[in-house]
Amino acid sequence: MAQYRRVSGSVGLITLQNPPVNALSASVRQGIVDSVKRALGDQKVKSVVICGQNGVFCGGADIREFGRQMSGPPLVPMIHDIEAANKPVVAAIEGSALGGGLELALGCHYRISHSKAKLGLPEVTLGLLPAAGGTQRLPRLIGVPAALNLITTGRHVTAAEALQLGILDHVTEHNTVDVAVKFALSVTGESLDGRRISSFSCAPLSDLDSLFEEAMLKARALQYFFFAQRAVGRWSTPSGARWDTSQPRPVRKAAVIGLGTMGRGITVALAQAGLSVVAVETHAKQLMEAKKAVPSMLKRGAVRGGTTIEPDSITYSETVQAVADVDLVIEAVFEDMALKEKVFQQLSIVCKPDTLLCTNTSSLDVDHLASQTRHPELVVGMHFFAPAHVMKLLEVVYGRRSSPAAVATAMQLGKKMGKVSVAVGNCRGFAGNRMLKRYLEQAFFLLEEGATPELVDRALEEFGFPMGVFRMSDLSGLDVGWRVRKADGLADTSLTGTSARVRQGCRYSPLGDLLCEHGRFGQKTGRGWYQYDKPGGRVAKSDPWLHNFLDEYRARHGLVPRCIDQQEVLERCLFVLINEGFQILEEGIAAGPEDIDAIYVFGYGWPRHRGGPMFYADMVGLERVVERLERYHQAHPNVPYLQPSGLLRRLVANGSPPIHKWRNVIKNRNSQL
Ligand code: NAI
């Protein structure tokens, strides 16, 4: 489980071997202990490199061993012995060094990493502490504030950030093991006195108390979020349907209609949950591609999850007639109402009368689709997020006529698929995308006023989002929103003068539409808000073309750019999103703030250690949110969504109760109606 060999004459190379992530199982630990001993005892070996097979250094402890009796050599003395070695030990990090994997690397004297690797101590997300030296070595290496941040959030950092923080000594684009071996040769015989991290002292800090206070706030957010996840399971709808009084139906056989991006992922998720699946795709080429793609997605999922799924649990068909005997259907055809209407009419005829009919639409009216069927009470939305077999979030959208059993069945099926299912009402964009729209709009407005995509993204990424709004848009494709805006009659770039930036009396930014007209759809075309080395490229680089384009645009519209700071970016983008969240609560689209927070953390990358948007509002203080929104609304009167929502004002009028009491204020209001 750890292969040992001598390379380049004098370097002992230890390769961890435990697929898929070279987790530190008992036999891997034994392998490391034996190999280190061998290397240190061999006169010909002058230095040592530790790496992992198949492009992954080490994913940490072997979770399969959790709860079992400890066997094999323990991690702490093993890492200690590596650090105490009298020959230089170099960690060659590819793929990931997480948890115990990073702790192992911290025990080495040098750390060299590939530029695409991720590092972190995610133990906190499993309710654990990095107890194999992580809490001791990391603060000594990079200082208490940065270490506390990584340990209490569990976030992963890129190699670039790890280098900047001082966790890594060197980052390479080349073969990491080769680079590490060369490096190990170059440090042969050098003193290791300054390389043993546990002997470093922690830099003294004057503001340690406030630092720990901040960490406590994060811990509070994490605790809140833990309970929020449970709360979303206890769903209810305004019509009185509830989780504890609604009986879900058994679903053994399901169907997916449309095997594009989403349909394939949904098919995989259903098969992984142990259901037999009928997968229907009317376009022969798409069907052929799906028949290849789905089994390989299943295979990759099985490797990740350590399970086996019989590919013959899925049958493929070109016709909807094949779904006659299924218990539940998930429709995932193009986002086109006329097409979806037709599909629902057909399903209503073909399926058993008690089959649940679900749609994966991201914006269309679920009630309207229900009206196309003979049993509208059996129609709900099941809104997955891409990639559907990976993303944890599922919005279960109940319509006006959805029966409690239909909602309960979709919620339970989501759970069975390993999703966090959140019940939401039917409105344009449901909860998540409706709030996102406001956030995107503000980001565009900030560009018009003088910001750059880099500035906006930096502020959001420093806040904790894995990706800022512009990098995220480039990843998901700018054309998606463009098509929606065109269908809504908004994306008209022929308008000139002041009307170019106004729709229905409200401020509108055509920047996204203009970019799409230039063929800049994001990563897929190699150009978007950033440039990429090729279509499909992943590394976003600043694009001078875009900056010129923004300058010209501002000049054309007489907009004088001003300095915009990070605080304004955060307040404008996040407070408007939060405000929409309050509106959603007020309308009863989401039953409680926990639902919105779960949606944002699991579906939109909101940093978990900030608890979700509604919790964040509570932390910032509702009065402050109102005051800032009012100020921005005064400055931008043609942006109505900056006006604080009625519920937000009412909460402030009620003395800004803590988040767990908001439901009372919402309930009181609803009972007065
Ligand atoms: P897509 O364009 O990748 O796939 C749609 C598939 O449906 C195509 O393969 C098409 O040939 C097939 N199709 C069309 N008519 C059909 C019919 N009558 N019977 C069977 N198959 C038919 O689209 P994508 O992205 O998978 O989206 C599907 C649905 O999921 C849309 O409603 C979309 O709004 C929604 N959605 C998309 C998300 C995304 O990130 N792409 C996220 C969440 C929801």
Side-chain angles (χ1 to χ4, degrees):
M1 288 296 217
Q3 185 202 53
Y4 175 76
R5 63 201 166 99
R6 186 151 55 85
V7 297
S8 298
S10 65
V11 179
L13 179 65
I14 301 170
T15 309
L16 314 190
Q17 296 180 322
N18 184 15
V21 294
N22 302 320
L24 293 163
S25 63
S27 53
V28 172
R29 297 195 303 272
Q30 189 64 58
I32 297 174
V33 168
D34 295 345
S35 309
V36 170
K37 214 175 186 177
R38 213 170 135 188
L40 298 184
D42 185 345
Q43 301 268 321
K44 291 193 196 106
V45 170
K46 305 288 182 216
S47 51
V48 180
V49 169
I50 302 179
C51 66
Q53 72 171 7
N54 296 337
V56 181
F57 179 69
C58 175
D62 194 334
I63 49 174
R64 285 170 291 202
E65 290 183 356
F66 282 14
R68 295 206 200 142
Q69 212 182 349
M70 174 86 185
S71 65
L75 206 52
V76 174
M78 180 193 94
I79 295 175
H80 181 77
D81 289 349
I82 292 172
E83 189 183 59
N86 54 6
K87 299 177 185 178
V89 184
V90 182
I93 301 168
E94 293 175 305
S96 53
L98 299 174
L102 179 56
E103 290 175 308
L104 169 63
L106 291 171
C108 297
H109 306 119
Y110 299 93
R111 283 155 297 282
I112 289 179
S113 164
H114 191 268
S115 58
K116 296 216 169 105
K118 298 257 182 211
L119 294 88
L121 293 172
E123 285 87 341
V124 69
T125 59
L126 299 174
L128 301 172
L129 284 173
T135 57
Q136 304 306 308
R137 288 196 179 87
L138 198 59
R140 285 175 166 74
L141 184 63
I142 64 173
V144 175
L148 206 53
N149 174 283
L150 293 193
I151 292 166
T152 55
T153 62
R155 75 184 178 94
H156 298 177
V157 293
T158 60
E161 187 179 348
L163 181 69
Q164 201 181 20
L165 286 170
I167 300 174
L168 297 173
D169 298 291
H170 181 68
V171 172
T172 178
E173 298 272 346
H174 303 287
N175 182 313
T176 313
V177 178
D178 290 351
V179 174
V181 167
K182 224 169 163 181
F183 180 82
L185 286 169
S186 75
V187 291
T188 293
E190 280 185 13
S191 163
L192 294 171
D193 285 350
R195 306 295 322 174
R196 295 188 179 98
I197 299 172
S198 62
S199 69
F200 298 2
S201 56
C202 257
L205 280 169
S206 55
D207 57 349
L208 210 55
D209 284 350
S210 65
L211 199 70
F212 281 116
E213 202 174 306
E214 199 186 305
M216 287 297 288
L217 284 181
K218 281 184 188 158
R220 214 179 111 192
L222 290 169
Q223 263 174 25
Y224 158 81
F225 193 70
F226 176 79
F227 289 107
Q229 286 175 71
R230 295 178 160 210
V232 299
R234 298 190 290 270
W235 58 271
S236 62
T237 71
S239 65
R242 291 167 50 97
W243 64 283
D244 52 350
T245 53
S246 310
Q247 197 56 34
R249 299 235 195 111
V251 180
R252 293 185 190 91
K253 190 168 184 183
V256 178
I257 314 289
L259 300 180
T261 312
M262 295 306 289
R264 293 175 196 185
I266 297 169
T267 302
V268 170
L270 288 167
Q272 282 172 340
L275 278 81
S276 48
V277 188
V278 181
V280 179
E281 167 63 59
T282 45
H283 295 70
K285 186 165 166 274
Q286 283 285 85
L287 181 61
M288 211 169 65
E289 280 173 19
K291 277 184 178 172
K292 280 194 212 133
V294 169
S296 75
M297 285 157 77
L298 272 174
K299 217 172 178 179
R300 263 179 277 142
V303 171
R304 264 201 307 272
T307 52
T308 6
I309 287 143
E310 295 303 324
D312 56 8
S313 63
I314 304 172
T315 52
Y316 295 88
S317 173
E318 261 186 66
T319 143
V320 86
Q321 314 303 329
V323 308
D325 64 342
V326 303
D327 306 309
L328 177 143
V329 181
I330 302 173
E331 165 278 312
V333 303
F334 303 126
E335 187 79 338
D336 171 341
M337 186 48 114
L339 173 64
K340 287 192 196 270
E341 277 176 2
K342 211 176 96 202
V343 170
F344 271 77
Q345 288 159 8
Q346 272 179 326
L347 288 171
S348 187
I349 295 166
V350 171
C351 292
K352 298 184 290 184
D354 59 352
T355 300
L356 204 69
L357 303 182
C358 310
T359 174
N360 182 45
T361 179
S362 38
S363 61
L364 300 176
D365 184 353
V366 174
D367 286 328
H368 181 75
L369 286 174
S371 72
Q372 305 299 305
T373 69
R374 287 191 287 196
H375 295 286
E377 72 280 8
L378 295 180
V379 175
V380 290
M382 283 183 87
H383 182 214
F384 291 82
F385 289 72
H389 59 304
V390 177
M391 290 291 286
K392 289 283 277 183
L393 178 64
L394 174 71
E395 280 183 322
V396 171
V397 186
Y398 53 83
R400 248 196 331 262
R401 296 167 71 181
S402 306
S403 70
V407 183
T409 307
M411 290 292 286
Q412 198 192 46
L413 179 60
K415 198 168 169 193
K416 209 167 164 192
M417 286 190 277
K419 309 285 178 208
V420 174
S421 313
V422 185
V424 293
N426 178 33
C427 66
R428 188 78 195 261
F430 316 128
N433 284 347
R434 175 169 157 183
M435 290 165 69
L436 189 76
K437 186 164 184 269
R438 303 291 167 235
Y439 167 79
L440 289 170
E441 276 168 3
Q442 287 301 317
F444 286 1
F445 295 160
L446 286 165
L447 294 191
E448 292 186 337
E449 292 164 35
T452 59
E454 290 83 347
L455 180 128
V456 175
D457 282 354
R458 200 176 317 122
L460 294 166
E461 285 162 19
E462 279 178 17
F463 178 79
F465 281 96
M467 260 187 219
V469 55
F470 292 106
R471 286 215 296 137
M472 185 202 72
S473 302
D474 272 1
L475 172 69
S476 41
L478 307 186
D479 52 323
V480 182
W482 187 39
R483 250 181 281 133
V484 176
R485 294 193 297 275
K486 279 205 284 195
D488 288 347
L490 296 172
D492 182 355
T493 51
S494 66
L495 297 168
T496 53
T498 46
S499 54
R501 295 177 43 243
V502 176
R503 300 287 184 279
Q504 292 142 6
C506 302
R507 179 171 174 186
Y508 176 83
S509 171
L511 277 171
D513 306 332
L514 289 166
L515 236 58
C516 287
E517 285 187 3
H518 279 93
R520 298 177 72 107
F521 292 174
Q523 286 189 4
K524 62 175 94 163
T525 56
R527 297 275 183 276
W529 296 108
Y530 294 92
Q531 57 176 326
Y532 302 83
D533 56 349
K534 54 176 190 282
R538 299 256 153 160
V539 183
K541 284 206 195 106
S542 210
D543 190 349
W545 181 93
L546 196 270
H547 295 149
N548 274 339
F549 162 81
L550 288 176
D551 287 343
E552 279 169 24
Y553 173 88
R554 292 186 199 113
R556 196 164 58 246
H557 292 283
L559 297 161
V560 182
R562 61 184 175 85
C563 243
I564 291 169
D565 60 17
Q566 292 213 346
Q567 187 187 340
E568 180 173 353
V569 173
L570 290 183
E571 288 179 347
R572 295 264 302 270
C573 292
L574 303 185
F575 287 6
V576 77
L577 177 146
I578 287 166
N579 199 31
E580 194 68 28
F582 279 110
Q583 192 60 38
I584 281 171
L585 286 178
E586 171 121 276
E587 290 171 21
I589 296 292
E594 299 87 352
D595 298 288
I596 293 179
D597 287 337
I599 288 172
Y600 261 78
V601 171
F602 287 116
Y604 296 86
W606 185 285
R608 185 190 288 243
H609 63 268
R610 294 198 188 266
M614 308 320 281
F615 181 80
Y616 180 65
D618 185 33
M619 295 293 266
V620 170
L622 301 185
E623 274 174 58
R624 180 169 167 79
V625 177
V626 168
E627 182 260 313
R628 302 306 291 170
L629 282 169
E630 275 174 344
R631 226 186 102 167
Y632 289 121
H633 185 238
Q634 267 168 19
H636 308 277
N638 57 354
V639 183
Y641 307 104
L642 284 169
Q643 253 185 89
S645 88
L647 174 62
L648 176 52
R649 285 189 192 283
R650 235 173 24 259
L651 283 164
V652 171
N654 276 272
S656 299
I659 193 163
H660 63 273
K661 297 211 167 133
W662 292 2
R663 280 184 196 242
N664 298 339
V665 177
I666 301 167
K667 232 184 278 161
N668 288 345
R669 160 75 175 178
N670 288 342
S671 59
Q672 283 163 21
L673 290 176

